[in-house]
Amino acid sequence: MLFTILFACQNTNQGGRNFQPQSLEQTNYSQEGDNDYLDDQPQLVGGSERDVREPHPVSNNKLQKEYPNIVVLHGSPMKNQVALTFDDGPDTRFTPQVLDVLAKHDVKATFFLIGSRAKAHKEITKRIHDEGHAIGNHTYWHPNLPKEHLGRLHWELTETEQVIMGITGFKPRLFRSPYGALNDEMVKMLGEKNNTVIGWNVDSLDWKQQGADIISDNVLSNVGFGSIILMHDGGDWSMDLSGTAQSLNKIISKLKKDGAKFVTVPELIGVPEAK
């Protein structure tokens, strides 16, 4: 299963440029059911969000204070603006659902795409771009980066840039780490590469698959001026994220009623979408 991939990833070239992770197409998956989807959807090398990520990583607050010009967790607390963000897509099941709801409400969001999935689902990636949403880099295979070396981050970053460049015509400036996990050395490197690291200050916890009502309550109970809201339009192949799209109607309607303006992350923090 994923242990095979992790072992292959640990035995890589330290320079990063020649790093080639084991192809997921060559990995023998033992899960039963949904096989057509599994074969079509590159998987998360670092593991499922529910198994790896801490709900509130304090380390990101420390990194933001240490590198305020690189790491961003929210926008201005003086403006009634919020940014919806979606990780781990594109996904053939859930990304179109999310895009349909956003289009219904005329809301633009920011999608942090996994390079291998963007490459596998170019039409969905193109739709995200064509409909006016912002796109950020979420690595190529979704590894747990603090467990890797800098060469791995360099490869993940540049390989995903090339994929997105080939589909949209630009290299994203925005970068979000899988599981929100980074260390000092990696933040410094991302800054040198002219990336802005995007975290969040409102976690929908949709990756816990608790249903639309709980997801919307998680957001509406914690959102404020300048909030960056974390949601998912993709994840581990076994996850049912249909509650995410279903929760958006309530979230968007309620916040619009309260006068909030939905913007993309580049609009929220005043940086360009492209490098």
Side-chain angles (χ1 to χ4, degrees), residues 78-90:
M78 305 303 294
K79 296 181 179 180
N80 192 7
Q81 297 180 336
V82 297
L84 290 168
T85 68
F86 299 90
D87 286 10
D88 296 351

Side-chain angles (χ1 to χ4, degrees), residues 30-169:
S30 60
Q31 292 96 333
E32 296 181 357
D34 241 0
N35 287 327
D36 291 340
Y37 176 76
L38 176 60
D39 291 341
D40 189 48
Q41 184 77 343
Q43 298 308 301
L44 309 181
V45 168
S48 171
E49 199 89 11
R50 62 176 177 259
D51 297 330
V52 178
R53 186 164 68 82
E54 298 178 10
H56 303 286
V58 175
S59 58
N60 284 354
N61 290 283
K62 294 179 180 178
L63 288 173
Q64 196 279 326
K65 289 185 177 181
E66 185 74 19
Y67 306 100
N69 296 322
I70 303 175
V71 179
V72 178
L73 302 181
H74 55 78
S76 170
M78 305 303 294
K79 296 181 179 180
N80 192 7
Q81 297 180 336
V82 297
L84 290 168
T85 68
F86 299 90
D87 286 10
D88 296 351
D91 183 295
T92 55
R93 299 174 300 173
F94 307 119
T95 306
Q97 294 178 25
V98 168
L99 289 171
D100 288 347
V101 177
L102 294 175
K104 171 185 173 183
H105 292 277
D106 193 23
V107 164
K108 306 305 179 188
T110 304
F111 290 78
F112 289 91
L113 304 184
I114 295 175
S116 58
R117 292 182 172 183
K119 184 176 181 179
H121 307 303
K122 294 180 181 178
E123 287 304 313
I124 301 178
T125 302
K126 188 174 184 298
R127 179 185 171 187
I128 292 170
H129 177 62
D130 289 349
E131 293 187 3
H133 304 290
I135 290 176
N137 188 324
H138 199 45
T139 73
Y140 195 83
W141 290 121
H142 203 275
N144 194 346
L145 287 172
K147 295 184 177 181
E148 306 289 345
H149 51 73
L150 284 176
R152 177 66 187 265
L153 171 58
H154 179 271
W155 187 91
E156 295 277 345
L157 180 70
T158 56
E159 194 74 6
T160 302
E161 285 180 345
Q162 292 303 317
V163 169
I164 294 175
M165 175 74 174
I167 300 171
T168 67

